[in-house]
Amino acid sequence: MGKQFGGKITRQLLEKYAQSPHWDGEKFVNLEETIMEMNLGKVPGLLMNRYFNNVQREPSSALPIIPFNEQNFLEASNKMKFIWYGHSVMLIRMNNKTILIDPMLGPDASPVAPFSTKRFSTNSLDLISDFPEIDVVLLTHDHYDHLDFASFQKLKPKVKQYFVALGLGRHLMDWGIDKNDITEFDWWENKLFANINITFTPSRHFSGRGLRDRFKSLWGGWTLKTENENIYFSGDGGFGNHFKEVGEKLGPFDFGFMECGQYNELWHLMHMYPEESVHAGMEAKVKMIMPVHWGAFSLAMHAWSDPVDRFVDEAIKCKINYIVPLLGDLIDLNQVASSIKWWLDYI
């Protein structure tokens, strides 16, 4: 279990982190005051709600994943193609390069907790065997539902390089990755990769894999811009002024993957409600939005389909284009079809 926690923090690393304008001397901080409304007195009620309420927190049967078709995925296109595998896992083809974001494909989102958090789909780790070579992996932050040791071990032989949040590189090096293959990003830092301008953007969240490394690495989202299109991946986090700032600095965007799921009033500043996810996309000047961070795990007390139901209702109300693909479905932005409410078959 020790490897699950990742790399330890050293004095040398703390000196490096202290160079960031987002380090307050002890930890990384959000752009706006962000407090998780949790204390020990609320834990019993939270556990009661988690295990004894009547909300349908899991699908009625395992969610199927469409098999990967390498030929179709690698076929040239002048627009982004992508596959969503539930939660925040995105396999992207852009400028003839393969990009993988937050590749948590393991069966359990709580590998160090006394109770497991099982995935809604089965055998998802096996998908990695079919994936092509990965030109770059993008990591938003180090939480277990985004950075998974089991997935990482299977992916390692396929991945050329890693673009990660500042401070996250220590985990990868602890797991055997050469430091020369890792590029760490502070907020607003960018790098040109295969004619894709990749920028790490702020979000309103936190980090840590254990009790001693809270806020000791950054968290955020990513933008990917080419001559033909501009894409936004929001990353985890609550609603805030950063969405408008991202839109003003880096937008408008043709497409946006918006965090939507695992919310609760006790940590509302850390995770948006679905209606806020829609408005975050609008604030960031996104033309078409898609809800992510749902469809794989139940990490909060709401019904498993509540995020997508509320997201779609709000998108229709606000008259903004949206899509909700099937798990494993290859989406080409040249030919986006209207979404069907496929999740209703699993209620």
Side-chain angles (χ1 to χ4, degrees), residues 88-92 99-103 138 140 222 224 233:
S88 297
V89 188
M90 307 303 313
L91 183 66
I92 294 172
I99 301 167
L100 184 58
I101 302 180
D102 285 359
L138 306 182
T140 61
W222 297 97
L224 302 93
F233 186 91

Side-chain angles (χ1 to χ4, degrees), residues 194-263:
N195 291 320
I196 307 170
N197 197 332
I198 300 178
T199 303
F200 190 53
T201 57
S203 70
R204 195 178 186 186
H205 201 53
F206 69 110
S207 63
R209 295 176 73 81
L211 295 176
R212 297 182 179 181
D213 65 344
R214 283 277 180 105
F215 299 96
K216 295 300 192 295
S217 61
L218 260 185
W219 50 90
W222 297 97
T223 65
L224 302 93
K225 186 174 185 178
T226 69
E227 291 182 357
N228 296 323
E229 59 195 332
N230 198 11
I231 308 299
Y232 179 39
F233 186 91
S234 74
D236 279 17
F239 192 83
N241 296 325
H242 59 281
F243 290 112
K244 186 175 182 180
E245 189 174 7
V246 168
E248 290 174 346
K249 286 186 175 182
L250 301 171
F253 298 97
D254 300 288
F255 195 90
F257 304 99
M258 308 305 299
E259 187 245 39
C260 178
Q262 322 319 318
Y263 42 81

Side-chain angles (χ1 to χ4, degrees), residues 314-334:
E314 188 69 12
I316 292 171
K317 176 182 173 182
C318 294
K319 299 181 180 179
I320 182 171
N321 291 326
Y322 70 93
I323 184 173
V324 185
L326 291 156
L327 299 181
D329 198 10
L330 178 62
I331 304 298
D332 188 329
L333 289 191
N334 276 314

